Amino acid sequence: VLKEVVKVVWNLSLYVSGAWLIASGWLYAGAIVYALAMQQSGWVGHDYSHHSVFNGAKLNDVGGRIFGWLQGYELMWWKARHNTHHVVTNEVGNDPDVRTAPLFTYIRQQPELAPMLNAAQRLQHIYFVPALGLLHLYWRIESLFFILTRLPKMFPQLLFLALHYVLLYNVFAPEGRILWGPLALCFYLKGLGTGVVVFATHYGEERLPKGAKGMTVAEQTVKTSRNIAGGWLIDVFTGNISRQVEHHLFPMMPRANLPLAGPYVEKFCQRHGLKFNHDS
């Protein structure tokens, strides 16, 4: 319980600190702290939306909606996207998290695509990491589009999300004029801070054909997931999503227990001849 309280208080304190810095004239410092707040909300909301905090679904979904709202995301958009990712991890054509073409075109398992890349795509090894900063804006737009295409049923969710933008305006327009530079930096760093974690733990792993068959959940998980080691600082920054293998095997396990499960998962993989992907 204490760890959950500390996690939430830590996250909310970042919002207050970022807003205070901006209001005090420390515009870009405040934008950086506010970006970290939204990045951390991604992992807190992830915990609630996976129903790993409370026993029942209702309270977990309330938490997931609140922390998704703080980022500008709709809960049901997140569930539709993320739950699909868990079911069909790295399956080409099924997993939305690897549906990145034409910006990022994965060719390691499809070398025949290399000659077809245009001049810009041939530079993706250079722009790959910087372009991850655009993800937050993309996810905001995708989340809003998810709501708009389901009106009038999701009109209450649209109104609720509108309140997020009222909050954002009050933080980034303290004198009635939008601070576009700090706002852009905040959005960019939020996308980068989330993107590097998500892509480092899945994107470089094996791609599976659509509707992959003949594998157990454990086999598909270890083929398509990678752990990132780096001590407590990495665990905090990534919300323990750095322990991606354990999380995909036990998606409802509280994040604090994932490090405890790690040794057992590694032994299981060794016993059954499965490669446990991990890096630093």
Side-chain angles (χ1 to χ4, degrees):
V1 175
L2 179 60
K3 288 182 179 180
E4 291 298 329
V5 173
V6 170
K7 176 180 70 178
V8 170
V9 171
W10 152 251
N11 189 196
L12 296 179
S13 69
L14 289 173
Y15 283 105
V16 174
S17 300
W20 179 82
L21 285 169
I22 292 170
S24 301
W26 296 82
L27 305 182
Y28 287 95
I32 292 170
V33 174
Y34 208 87
L36 179 60
M38 288 198 290
Q39 190 261 7
Q40 289 292 294
S41 282
W43 312 135
V44 178
H46 178 268
D47 293 343
Y48 283 106
S49 299
H50 268 293
H51 297 176
S52 66
V53 179
F54 298 109
N55 287 329
K58 189 171 292 186
L59 283 177
N60 278 302
D61 282 347
V62 169
R65 186 170 296 282
I66 291 171
F67 284 95
W69 177 85
L70 285 167
Q71 302 168 77
Y73 304 153
E74 156 58 28
L75 174 64
M76 296 313 297
W77 161 79
W78 187 92
K79 283 179 176 286
R81 181 185 181 91
H82 192 74
N83 291 355
T84 302
H85 158 71
H86 267 266
V87 174
V88 291
T89 309
N90 276 27
E91 288 186 20
V92 177
N94 281 341
D95 185 353
D97 280 6
V98 297
R99 199 179 299 141
T100 57
L103 185 62
F104 304 136
T105 305
Y106 188 86
I107 63 172
R108 189 172 70 186
Q109 290 176 235
Q110 296 177 290
E112 67 276 8
L113 294 179
M116 294 184 257
L117 299 181
N118 60 40
Q121 290 171 318
R122 292 176 189 275
L123 299 175
Q124 63 181 339
H125 61 290
I126 297 174
Y127 68 68
F128 174 71
V129 172
L132 295 179
L134 302 175
L135 284 172
H136 178 54
L137 180 60
Y138 172 75
W139 287 330
R140 278 178 175 269
I141 294 171
E142 190 177 76
S143 177
L144 181 59
F145 186 75
F146 181 90
I147 294 175
L148 293 176
T149 55
R150 289 162 176 80
L151 292 177
K153 182 178 181 180
M154 295 194 72
F155 189 70
Q157 287 87 340
L158 180 62
L159 290 179
F160 187 58
L161 192 60
L163 293 177
H164 163 80
Y165 287 95
V166 172
L167 170 65
L168 207 63
Y169 179 83
N170 279 278
V171 172
F172 284 92
E175 298 179 359
R177 180 174 56 87
I178 298 176
L179 303 168
W180 290 109
L183 181 61
L185 178 64
C186 177
F187 276 27
Y188 180 80
L189 291 179
K190 152 62 175 166
L192 188 64
T194 303
V196 293
V197 175
V198 173
F199 276 66
T201 54
H202 280 303
Y203 192 79
E205 306 315 310
E206 186 174 343
R207 299 298 169 88
L208 304 176
K210 189 173 183 177
K213 298 178 181 179
M215 284 184 291
T216 64
V217 171
E219 287 173 315
Q220 181 159 353
T221 296
V222 298
K223 278 179 176 287
T224 59
S225 307
R226 176 174 296 272
N227 281 10
I228 304 296
W232 71 269
L233 187 60
I234 291 297
D235 286 346
V236 171
F237 182 74
T238 66
N240 268 353
I241 297 303
S242 53
R243 302 176 188 276
Q244 193 69 257
V245 176
E246 293 90 330
H247 169 62
H248 266 252
L249 287 174
F250 308 104
M252 294 180 69
M253 179 178 287
R255 72 159 79 169
N257 292 342
L258 292 175
L260 303 178
Y264 296 99
V265 173
E266 287 195 61
K267 288 179 181 178
F268 173 87
C269 290
Q270 291 173 359
R271 189 182 311 126
H272 295 278
L274 301 174
K275 183 182 178 183
F276 184 86
N277 296 315
H278 60 93
D279 216 325
S280 60

